[in-house]
Amino acid sequence: GRAGRPQFDTSGDATLITSHDAMARYLDKLVRSTPIESNFIKQLADHLNAEVVLGTVQTIAEAVDWLSYTFLYVRMLKNPGTYGISDRAARDDPSLKARRTDLAHTAACMLERSHLVRYDRRSGSLQTTPLGRIASQYYISHSSMAMYSRHLRPNMADIDLLRLFSMSGEFAHITVREEEKLELGKLAMRVPIPVKESPSEPSAKVNILLQAYVSRLRLDGFALVSDMAFVQQSAARIMRAIFEIALRRGWSGLAKLTLDFANMVAYRIWRSQSPLRQFKNVPEIVARKLERKSDIEWARYSDLTPSDLGELVGVPKMGRTLHKLVHQFPKLELSAHVQPITRSILRVELNLVPDFEYDIKVHGYVQLFHVIVEDVDGQNILHHEMFLLKSTGAQDEHTVVFTVSIMDPLPPTYFIRVISDRWLHSESVLPVSFNKMILPAKFYPPTELLDLQPLPISVLAEGALTKLYSFNEFNPIQTQTFHHLFKTDKNCLICAPAGSGKSACAEFAIMRMLVNDPQGKCVYVAPKEETAANTFADWNGRFGSILRPGQVAQLSGETAPDLKLLAEAKIVVCTAKQWDAISRRWRQRKGVQAVTLFIVDDLHFLGGDAGPTLEVIISRMRFIGTQKQQKGDDKLVRMVGLSASLANAREVGEWMGVASKGLFNFSPKVRPIPLEMYFHSFDQSNFASRLMAMAKPVYNAVMRHSDGKPTIIFVPSRRQAQLSAIDLMTYHQSIDGETFLGSGANPDEIAEVAANLREPALQQVVASGIGFLHDGMVESDWEKLLHLYKTGAITVLVCPVDICWKIKIAAHLVVIMGTETFDGRERRYVDYAIADLLHIMGLASRQGIDTCGKCVIMCHTPKKEHLKKLLYDPLPVESHIDHYLHDHFNSEIVTKTISSMQDAVDYITWTLFYRRLSKNPNYYNLQGTSNVHLSEHISEMVETVLGDLEASKCCQLNDDGDVSPLNLGMIAAYYYVQYETIELIAASLTAKTKVRGILEILSHASEFGTLPIRQGEEKALRILARTLPSKLPDSAQFSDPRTKALVLLNCHFSRKPLSTDLRTDQKRVLCDSINLIPAIVDVISSNGWLKPALAAMELSQMVVQGLWNKDNVLMQIPHFTREIVGRCEAYQGEEPIESVFDILTLDDDIRNDLLRLPDDKMADVAVFCNNYPNVDVSFEVQDSDEITASDPVQIAVKLERDIDDEDDEEDDVNESDLGKVAAPLFPKEKREGWWIVVGDTATNTLLSLKRVNLQRSQKVMLEFMAPDEAGDHTLTLYVISDAYLGADMEFEVPLSLLPPSSSDEEGSSTEEE
């Protein structure tokens, strides 16, 4: 082809010199062109494995289809004879499907023999195995993998490992040439690890070349150099693959050895050489000198100074460079906190602190470490996971939480080893000693589910009660518990898996109360707001039909309205926090004392965030019940607990006062509808890569398990819900060409519904029968989607995990796509709460429809065994109240329940914490279980907590151990504010604090410390902060939840549009703020400062209306924009438009011209303007002529709402609607509150303050001490709204003070004496 030069020659000459027998072949090639044939069959098995791992091929049928895309198939059709296909076979099967099936089947059998796939010949399904994934990832042939499987041993030495490596199939074509033997023989003498085989063996050649490469030996032959390059390129890959196999098999020694070899090949250094050779700029001479000083251990190098190091190598100038390199070498400091959860599970919280100087040029943007837990012999790996150290977090402390199984008998030690993935000798070891470990007590076996005849609903005996149920008979769990709940008044605890119908069990107890006790009152408490809302919606519809209106009530969290609801209702639904707030002052509140039935749902949350509050209210209700019993009250408090299956249910039951007959603790396996569980693990250590890898398996799981029945998929985030829904739609349309619409669904009707949805992505997927929900969704879209799902029009619903408690629906199949979510506060991925997972699994059963439910859990491989253990076995519940005692102690000190140290100790004995202390002492950092240990531990804890409260000025301790509340503690308890927040408020406020200062103090409240920081949110917050009218403080960190709260409040006042997630968080911030601001006002008033108090009240108005205090008050009217307000300001009428009332007084034509709003929006404007408070204020100073200086002064103030007579006659104004605030931007219903303040503006002194809720009228008496100087004074009376801008009023209060009479003065002087 080279003969003949274009542009120069017209023809070319070529001469071919060859042997005579090859002549004919070359002539044939020159005369005739021969087609290129495919060699794909030789590598078919390996390529098929890659497709199985990728998820493209999951059955033999798909493999046959996949083969039709290859060049092999094209050539088989054209030239069947070459590929062993007879003419007859080609005629009978024109598409060669049978031949493709044979090829696929043969390849699958070969892969199965090598343990790379699981092949079910009957169904044709192909499933990958860990070995298959390793072979695909590291591009290793199935024959090599089979050989590794056969020959690998846990205690292999360097010699054995290199022999095995050299036998790999990858080197099958390497041969030993005659001229190489001499050089190979010489090299064999020089390499450090002996080679057993003769140098003439191909495997010996591979072994020698690898060692020669690492040793940096020079080679003479060109052929050897090329072979060495090939060996070296394959070496790191193969060593990494063997490392992965060793990890899978739990062989610690082999895993460390292969990882070392992979790094030795990468850096071309041996383990015996200096670790500093891994840096590029270390001269050979220096490295050799360091290696000669072998008496100094590598770990000691970091303690040496630059001059020491320079002296060590004999080159003083190199000292500083070496010192820098030593301190750039990756090194982690380890510490661990170990807690036994059960007798077989150990929870380890590992803290890693980087102890080296991170340099992106040296280390890159991320460093990878292997966290390995080894047994006492260092032979077996009990746990392995990856830890990523990013350059951005190189200075921070990092936490890795994992669980390890505990061996039986208990070993003396485990070793936690953290090894760098890329650096030799970068290894930290932490021994974890079990010498002083006390394992928790053994658990009692679960309650056996008896084989009883299911009870019909007619056993309720009351016609009205049987109508509450749509089914005919109770399930086995309800049947077994029925007698105890409905026929007795004894306490009861029912623990059963989610979806077992426990709510009906609670209803049995309510029905008994309704039938037997006309004065009875039931309180139902749930830890989650969503559960409480769903329960109230259900019971209000059902029990509401047999009770009077208002007898089924849900608490709102505002004390005054809640007390009214509690007094009137028979069934009260609330959250743990709401009941804690209202029951704190139970001695003064008759409604709390009147409770006769107390139902607590989701008791397994005792171990979660809401656990401490739940524990306190149950302990308090038990205490109230005991107090009533001692007083001889015949109406005792009946306790009914509902929970998921618990390992330590007996202790929880005893703590709640449940006798053994009332304890029903069923196993997690006992479900009314059986649940099939499938685990699918993924090796990808990167979270985003793992989710991408799950996309196709999720689709396959839906296709395989759903049978066209409803499916719910739970994903980690809102964004992922949208992506997964689109992926499902794409896969289904591209593979099957179909949609997920229900069988009876009308596509045109669904397309019409989809067109009316707000989100474009949602419109797209709903038409394909898939929906996705998230928390920030418009209410109408949410309702439409749930309706489509419940009616069976769409069969797949994708939801973020954080709304699992909000949705009250069931499915045939539930898929959990990943079990971790990002926590921005800790800057790491954290596991879902186990309670959330149990609840999600409970959704996988439709009562009365399915015979079994299905649940597919997709998780990270290291988490799989731990999850299985937690989900298959009942979980023990531990108390966390010891970390949250401060606020509960404070509230009890205020109510005088705790008045001494001894009272505090007694208070703790009522809790579950006290019972668990002796059962699992190590979990609570207790070193023994004797009475002395227990009493010392509790006394020390009480002293610490009370000491903290005293330091924050919430309470006062005297030398006798008596405790009394202080003002700050009373404010914290009354407003349900954390003690740290009150301490911060009191310390930060000054007499000159303005609105902006109060806003910063508010945003730093501890209540906002739990705001979630999602991935990528820091950047979004930084962008938002740039556009705000006020600059953030210099110390603001965007990874801090409190900075986020400040940004969200600023955005609320500026009315900035936010993303869905931030809008959800903003709602929470606003609801918490409206509770915190009155506490701030009270702290300011106790200091007697007027201007800061008025500023805080102004902030309350800003929060409710979403405006800055400088904005025009008209902006709070719905639909009013800056343009409309501009037109109103420019209006040249008889009177300018300055307030909301001015809008009402305008003529209709003028108003319509100024506002230019459609009728529906105009109606909203009218509602707001009519609701806007018009309050008449009258006041009178009592005995105004006789007040002397320094005497008490009383001012009687009367507030009266001005209601139009016409309105009163026409509408017969509903009292409950009076005082409702119209605030479209505030997330929940709010009632008007008014602050009545008397102050002296001249001295910035606040003299008296009262807060009232106003309906029609309200009388208030303000008391304060008159100024010290006699004469005329002018004070100011302020009446300030907590919800509306522009509704405030102020009046001058003239005071003429008489000089104190001489007798008064004498009296006062004697008093002073």
Side-chain angles (χ1 to χ4, degrees):
R2 295 283 175 190
R5 297 169 300 164
Q7 300 174 3
F8 298 106
D9 295 336
T10 53
S11 66
D13 296 323
T15 306
L16 181 70
I17 301 171
T18 182
S19 60
H20 194 274
D21 54 344
M23 188 79 173
R25 186 156 64 89
Y26 283 115
L27 279 173
D28 192 46
K29 281 193 185 297
L30 289 168
V31 176
R32 277 206 304 270
S33 62
T34 51
I36 300 169
E37 295 296 348
S38 167
N39 272 335
F40 190 61
I41 290 178
K42 292 177 186 173
Q43 302 284 319
L44 178 59
D46 293 328
H47 291 296
L48 178 62
N49 177 51
E51 297 301 326
V52 172
V53 170
L54 193 61
T56 320
V57 172
Q58 296 198 315
T59 60
I60 283 294
E62 287 179 3
V64 170
D65 188 42
W66 165 70
L67 278 173
S68 70
Y69 291 93
T70 59
F71 179 59
L72 167 69
Y73 178 56
V74 174
R75 287 308 302 155
M76 283 199 304
L77 288 174
K78 294 280 185 192
N79 192 2
T82 307
Y83 299 94
I85 304 168
S86 65
D87 293 344
R88 185 176 174 187
R91 278 198 309 277
D92 294 349
D93 184 9
S95 66
L96 299 180
K97 190 171 182 182
R99 177 64 175 159
R100 281 183 287 147
T101 307
D102 282 350
L103 287 172
H105 172 73
T106 309
C109 291
M110 289 165 74
L111 291 173
E112 189 186 29
R113 276 200 298 277
S114 306
H115 306 293
L116 300 195
V117 298
R118 282 190 283 273
Y119 176 32
D120 181 358
R121 286 167 172 71
R122 201 173 60 216
S123 66
S125 81
L126 292 166
Q127 275 182 305
T128 186
T129 64
L131 282 181
R133 282 195 283 272
I134 294 167
S136 170
Q137 184 182 349
Y138 293 103
Y139 210 79
I140 290 178
S141 66
H142 67 279
S143 55
S144 294
M145 291 301 286
M147 189 195 63
Y148 301 150
S149 292
R150 278 198 305 277
H151 295 296
L152 277 176
R153 295 288 174 269
N155 46 5
M156 287 179 95
D158 301 10
I159 300 175
D160 306 322
L161 180 62
L162 286 177
R163 274 188 71 198
L164 182 66
F165 165 80
S166 59
M167 288 158 62
S168 298
E170 274 67 13
F171 308 123
H173 66 279
I174 287 186
T175 55
V176 180
R177 301 175 190 87
E178 197 62 41
E179 63 271 20
E180 295 169 349
K181 288 181 180 175
L182 182 63
E183 190 175 355
L184 285 171
K186 287 178 185 173
L187 289 171
M189 305 295 286
R190 293 176 64 193
V191 294
I193 298 170
V195 179
K196 288 184 179 177
E197 295 85 2
S198 154
S200 56
E201 291 281 325
S203 63
K205 176 180 175 179
V206 173
N207 190 337
I208 292 165
L209 286 178
L210 178 65
Q211 292 192 56
Y213 174 76
V214 176
S215 303
R216 307 189 183 207
L217 300 180
R218 288 192 55 182
L219 304 181
D220 294 336
F222 285 128
L224 271 183
V225 171
S226 115
D227 284 346
M228 182 201 261
F230 178 74
V231 169
Q232 165 256 323
Q233 285 164 2
S234 303
R237 192 164 48 84
I238 291 172
M239 286 299 178
R240 289 265 165 194
I242 301 175
F243 167 65
E244 295 278 349
I245 295 170
L247 280 180
R248 293 286 176 287
R249 296 191 174 179
W251 294 341
S252 178
L254 183 61
K256 287 182 287 192
L257 183 64
T258 46
L259 183 60
D260 280 352
F261 261 104
N263 287 326
M264 284 192 268
V265 173
Y267 288 107
R268 299 185 74 178
I269 65 168
W270 292 102
R271 269 178 304 184
S272 55
Q273 291 176 297
S274 169
L276 290 180
R277 282 182 181 267
Q278 294 169 88
F279 293 102
K280 292 187 177 72
N281 52 348
V282 176
E284 180 70 20
I285 296 172
V286 173
R288 285 196 178 163
K289 284 186 175 177
L290 285 170
E291 281 151 15
R292 287 196 198 107
K293 309 281 183 184
S294 55
D295 53 329
I296 299 176
E297 287 181 20
W298 168 242
R300 285 184 53 206
Y301 274 62
S302 55
D303 303 331
L304 300 178
T305 62
S307 55
D308 292 342
L309 286 164
E311 208 176 300
L312 191 69
V313 295
V315 188
K317 285 183 182 175
M318 281 297 292
R320 292 182 68 178
T321 308
L322 288 174
H323 186 264
K324 183 184 173 188
L325 296 179
V326 166
H327 286 276
Q328 281 183 344
F329 194 82
K331 181 183 171 191
L332 298 176
E333 291 289 334
L334 307 181
S335 61
H337 179 55
V338 179
Q339 290 176 312
I341 294 177
T342 67
R343 291 183 74 82
S344 60
I345 301 178
L346 193 69
R347 180 179 183 273
V348 181
E349 193 173 295
L350 180 66
N351 294 318
L352 307 106
V353 182
D355 187 20
F356 65 100
E357 291 165 19
Y358 202 105
D359 183 351
I360 288 175
K361 290 176 187 169
V362 177
H363 303 104
Y365 287 100
V366 69
Q367 281 287 306
L368 196 61
F369 292 88
H370 298 274
V371 180
I372 293 174
V373 182
E374 298 173 350
D375 62 4
V376 66
D377 304 322
Q379 288 184 348
N380 297 318
I381 295 175
L382 306 174
H383 177 82
H384 166 260
E385 69 177 79
M386 309 290 274
F387 166 65
L388 289 169
L389 177 66
K390 295 183 181 172
S391 56
T392 49
Q395 307 302 319
D396 308 335
E397 182 177 320
H398 301 268
T399 307
V400 178
V401 180
F402 53 86
T403 55
V404 183
S405 51
I406 303 174
M407 303 289 186
D408 196 21
L410 187 67
T413 320
Y414 277 172
F415 293 99
I416 300 175
R417 217 175 271 276
V418 180
I419 308 172
S420 170
D421 186 59
R422 295 283 169 199
W423 293 76
L424 274 170
H425 296 283
S426 171
E427 181 176 332
S428 306
V429 183
L430 179 72
V432 178
S433 173
F434 294 152
N435 287 342
K436 292 184 179 175
M437 180 167 285
I438 306 167
L439 289 181
K442 285 188 175 172
F443 301 123
Y444 290 94
T447 308
E448 197 176 328
L449 186 66
L450 305 175
D451 188 12
L452 301 173
Q453 181 72 30
L455 289 172
I457 56 170
S458 56
V459 291
L460 296 169
E462 294 269 345
L465 299 181
T466 53
K467 285 177 188 166
L468 298 179
Y469 295 102
S470 55
F471 47 83
N472 297 323
E473 57 181 34
F474 295 115
N475 72 30
I477 288 172
Q478 291 159 354
T479 300
Q480 191 164 334
T481 56
F482 178 81
H483 177 81
H484 198 88
L485 286 161
F486 192 72
K487 301 290 187 187
T488 73
D489 281 321
K490 291 175 184 165
N491 294 351
C492 187
L493 174 61
I494 299 156
C495 307
S500 301
K502 295 191 291 287
S503 305
C505 299
E507 288 164 10
F508 296 156
I510 294 174
M511 291 174 196
R512 175 169 179 85
M513 180 198 80
L514 293 175
V515 171
N516 288 11
D517 184 3
Q519 302 303 313
K521 192 183 293 291
C522 162
V523 171
Y524 166 92
V525 173
K528 292 263 183 191
E529 281 181 32
E530 297 89 342
T531 315
N534 285 334
T535 304
F536 173 69
D538 179 26
W539 286 357
N540 195 32
R542 289 165 56 227
F543 285 115
S545 64
I546 58 171
L547 295 169
R548 290 200 310 277
Q551 288 200 322
V552 180
Q554 184 178 13
L555 301 187
S556 64
E558 290 188 31
T559 311
D562 283 352
L563 286 170
K564 197 177 279 186
L565 287 172
L566 184 63
E568 294 169 4
K570 268 191 147 355
I571 300 172
V572 176
V573 177
C574 60
T575 65
K577 278 190 174 174
Q578 288 166 350
W579 187 251
D580 183 22
I582 211 163
S583 66
R584 280 180 170 183
R585 300 169 68 185
W586 61 272
R587 293 175 201 277
Q588 290 90 31
R589 291 177 175 166
K590 294 279 191 293
V592 178
Q593 294 176 23
V595 173
T596 55
L597 172 61
F598 190 67
I599 299 170
V600 190
D601 203 350
D602 293 327
L603 263 173
H604 49 279
F605 269 92
L606 280 164
D609 293 342
T613 313
L614 212 52
E615 191 170 338
V616 162
I617 58 174
I618 294 170
S619 304
R620 186 179 294 144
M621 294 310 288
R622 286 274 296 129
F623 184 68
I624 292 171
T626 314
Q627 294 286 310
K628 285 167 84 172
Q629 198 171 359
Q630 285 172 358
K631 287 179 186 172
D633 192 334
D634 56 342
K635 288 188 179 173
L636 300 178
V637 182
R638 182 185 190 188
M639 309 281 284
V640 174
L642 309 174
S643 167
S645 305
L646 298 177
N648 55 344
R650 181 164 295 201
E651 279 142 43
V652 176
E654 286 169 358
W655 164 61
M656 289 178 68
V658 176
S660 57
K661 282 190 177 176
L663 175 65
F664 300 93
N665 180 30
F666 298 104
S667 160
K669 300 177 183 72
V670 171
R671 294 172 182 268
I673 296 172
L675 181 67
E676 294 176 16
M677 283 172 65
Y678 303 90
F679 281 89
H680 196 339
S681 60
F682 293 81
D683 293 331
Q684 290 82 354
S685 55
N686 180 281
F687 180 75
S689 309
R690 196 158 61 243
L691 283 179
M692 285 170 71
M694 287 177 186
K696 183 79 186 289
V698 164
Y699 166 74
N700 292 326
V702 172
M703 297 309 294
R704 184 175 298 156
H705 298 298
S706 72
D707 305 328
K709 295 172 187 171
T711 301
I712 307 177
I713 299 165
F714 285 96
V715 295
S717 64
R718 179 186 65 82
R719 182 170 170 272
Q720 189 60 43
Q722 182 174 323
L723 293 174
S724 297
I726 293 169
D727 281 349
L728 281 170
M729 175 186 75
T730 314
Y731 280 129
H732 205 29
Q733 288 180 350
S734 62
I735 295 171
D736 300 323
E738 295 175 14
T739 63
F740 283 106
L741 291 172
S743 52
N746 182 339
D748 297 335
E749 286 176 14
I750 288 170
E752 195 178 318
V753 173
N756 294 325
L757 297 169
R758 290 274 184 94
E759 295 181 41
L762 200 52
Q763 295 176 354
Q764 192 183 358
V765 295
V766 165
S768 299
I770 304 166
F772 63 83
L773 296 171
H774 56 81
D775 222 359
M777 211 172 216
V778 187
E779 192 66 31
S780 58
D781 283 8
W782 179 281
E783 294 300 335
K784 281 176 194 167
L785 273 175
L786 282 183
H787 176 71
L788 287 174
Y789 177 80
K790 285 173 181 171
T791 54
I794 62 174
T795 57
V796 178
L797 205 53
V798 188
C799 310
V801 76
D802 54 5
I803 64 163
C804 66
W805 295 91
K806 192 175 176 182
I807 51 174
K808 200 164 185 190
I809 48 178
H812 172 67
L813 167 68
V814 167
V815 180
I816 302 172
M817 183 179 175
T819 58
E820 294 171 305
T821 185
F822 184 74
D823 184 343
R825 287 164 303 166
E826 298 192 28
R827 293 187 166 203
R828 66 186 179 93
Y829 290 95
V830 294
D831 293 335
Y832 293 167
I834 199 70
D836 291 357
L837 283 174
L838 293 169
H839 177 72
I840 289 169
M841 285 162 52
L843 302 178
S845 57
R846 295 176 300 162
Q847 304 286 339
I849 301 171
D850 292 330
T851 50
C852 81
K854 293 180 180 179
C855 179
V856 177
I857 298 174
M858 299 188 174
C859 63
H860 192 197
T861 306
K863 303 269 191 286
K864 183 176 173 182
E865 292 309 314
H866 169 59
L867 279 170
K868 276 185 176 176
K869 230 182 198 100
L870 285 181
L871 297 177
Y872 288 148
D873 298 332
L875 82 167
V877 68
E878 298 291 355
S879 168
H880 294 143
I881 198 170
D882 47 332
H883 303 296
Y884 298 89
L885 270 174
H886 297 80
D887 294 314
H888 298 300
F889 265 22
N890 180 51
S891 72
E892 301 299 345
I893 291 166
V894 170
T895 56
K896 304 283 196 305
T897 306
I898 293 176
S899 56
S900 67
M901 289 276 212
Q902 187 55 46
D903 289 345
V905 173
D906 293 345
Y907 177 81
I908 285 176
T909 61
W910 282 89
T911 60
L912 175 67
F913 167 73
Y914 179 70
R915 289 171 185 269
R916 287 300 296 160
L917 259 182
S918 57
K919 298 285 194 237
N920 190 0
N922 283 163
Y923 189 88
Y924 300 99
N925 297 327
L926 191 64
Q927 299 309 318
T929 52
S930 67
N931 288 343
V932 176
H933 277 106
L934 285 172
S935 59
E936 279 182 5
H937 185 78
I938 292 172
S939 301
E940 189 182 324
M941 190 168 70
V942 166
E943 279 175 32
T944 309
V945 172
L946 292 178
D948 290 346
L949 287 174
E950 188 179 30
S952 61
K953 298 184 181 154
C954 287
C955 73
Q956 193 171 14
L957 272 167
N958 65 13
D959 297 339
D960 301 335
D962 292 336
V963 189
S964 54
L966 295 176
N967 186 44
L968 289 182
M970 292 177 187
I971 295 171
Y974 183 79
Y975 290 109
Y976 205 79
V977 172
Q978 292 180 22
Y979 87 102
E980 292 165 326
T981 303
I982 281 292
E983 185 182 6
L984 171 92
I985 292 168
S988 309
L989 286 167
T990 66
K992 295 179 180 174
T993 309
K994 297 189 169 64
V995 170
R996 198 146 286 162
I998 293 172
L999 180 58
E1000 278 182 30
I1001 294 168
L1002 169 67
S1003 67
H1004 275 75
S1006 303
E1007 278 73 1
F1008 299 135
T1010 55
L1011 270 180
I1013 303 277
R1014 298 173 191 85
Q1015 210 160 10
E1017 227 167 47
E1018 292 172 40
K1019 189 178 174 187
L1021 291 170
R1022 191 172 276 111
I1023 292 166
L1024 280 170
R1026 283 189 209 129
T1027 61
L1028 296 174
S1030 60
K1031 191 172 175 284
L1032 293 186
D1034 297 332
S1035 59
Q1037 294 283 328
F1038 289 98
S1039 57
D1040 183 0
R1042 294 170 180 85
T1043 302
K1044 177 175 178 176
L1046 182 56
V1047 172
L1048 292 178
L1049 283 167
N1050 273 293
C1051 289
H1052 177 61
F1053 305 144
S1054 300
R1055 300 194 170 183
K1056 289 212 174 301
L1058 294 173
S1059 69
T1060 310
D1061 288 332
L1062 287 176
R1063 212 163 49 237
T1064 309
D1065 295 336
Q1066 191 186 52
K1067 284 180 186 173
R1068 186 183 144 189
V1069 170
L1070 295 175
C1071 293
D1072 283 350
S1073 298
I1074 212 65
N1075 186 41
L1076 288 164
I1077 293 171
I1080 295 175
V1081 172
D1082 280 12
V1083 173
I1084 297 171
S1085 87
S1086 60
N1087 285 315
W1089 298 324
L1090 179 62
K1091 285 176 185 169
L1094 298 178
M1097 294 169 192
E1098 213 168 349
L1099 181 60
S1100 178
Q1101 300 168 2
M1102 288 159 56
V1103 167
V1104 176
Q1105 294 299 343
L1107 284 173
W1108 287 103
N1109 49 351
K1110 299 183 186 72
D1111 288 330
N1112 192 311
V1113 294
L1114 297 178
M1115 281 295 291
Q1116 60 194 326
I1117 303 176
H1119 314 301
F1120 265 51
T1121 58
R1122 305 237 175 252
E1123 292 80 43
I1124 294 175
V1125 171
R1127 287 200 291 271
C1128 293
E1129 286 172 340
Y1131 169 66
Q1132 301 289 328
E1134 294 171 15
E1135 289 185 9
I1137 302 173
E1138 291 174 345
S1139 75
V1140 175
F1141 299 120
D1142 297 339
I1143 296 286
L1144 284 173
T1145 55
L1146 290 171
D1147 291 342
D1148 289 353
D1149 300 345
I1150 297 169
R1151 191 189 301 125
N1152 290 342
D1153 180 50
L1154 285 173
L1155 306 191
R1156 299 173 196 168
L1157 291 170
D1159 289 349
D1160 56 335
K1161 290 185 176 178
M1162 210 57 149
D1164 293 341
V1165 172
V1167 168
F1168 179 89
C1169 293
N1170 288 325
N1171 275 357
Y1172 193 77
N1174 187 3
V1175 177
D1176 294 332
V1177 178
S1178 56
F1179 65 92
E1180 183 188 356
V1181 181
Q1182 306 288 307
D1183 305 326
S1184 55
D1185 303 337
E1186 300 169 13
I1187 300 172
T1188 55
S1190 303
D1191 260 13
V1193 181
Q1194 290 188 326
I1195 301 181
V1197 182
K1198 185 180 182 187
L1199 308 184
E1200 197 155 11
R1201 193 183 292 278
D1202 193 357
I1203 301 170
D1204 288 352
D1205 296 338
E1206 295 171 20
D1207 291 355
D1208 221 348
E1209 288 166 19
E1210 283 175 29
D1211 304 339
D1212 191 20
V1213 176
N1214 186 352
E1215 288 290 329
S1216 62
D1217 287 343
L1218 283 175
K1220 268 191 187 172
V1221 176
L1225 295 180
F1226 192 69
K1228 67 176 189 178
E1229 188 182 288
K1230 166 105 181 73
R1231 295 196 162 271
E1232 277 176 33
W1234 294 84
W1235 279 291
I1236 303 167
V1237 182
V1238 175
D1240 187 344
T1241 49
T1243 58
N1244 185 24
T1245 309
L1246 187 148
L1247 299 168
S1248 181
L1249 177 141
K1250 282 262 174 95
R1251 188 162 187 253
V1252 296
N1253 290 328
L1254 175 66
Q1255 286 192 319
R1256 279 180 184 268
S1257 67
Q1258 185 84 25
K1259 287 181 181 174
V1260 182
M1261 186 68 76
L1262 296 176
E1263 285 192 34
F1264 58 93
M1265 299 305 286
D1268 296 339
E1269 295 172 12
D1272 291 340
H1273 293 265
T1274 304
L1275 304 180
T1276 311
L1277 172 72
Y1278 297 91
V1279 178
I1280 296 185
S1281 167
D1282 70 348
Y1284 290 104
L1285 290 155
D1288 306 340
M1289 291 162 279
E1290 57 182 89
F1291 307 92
E1292 287 190 351
V1293 182
L1295 276 186
S1296 293
L1297 300 181
L1298 303 170
S1301 63
S1302 56
S1303 61
D1304 285 352
E1305 283 178 14
E1306 282 168 23
S1308 63
S1309 64
T1310 53
E1311 277 170 25
E1312 282 169 19
E1313 285 162 21

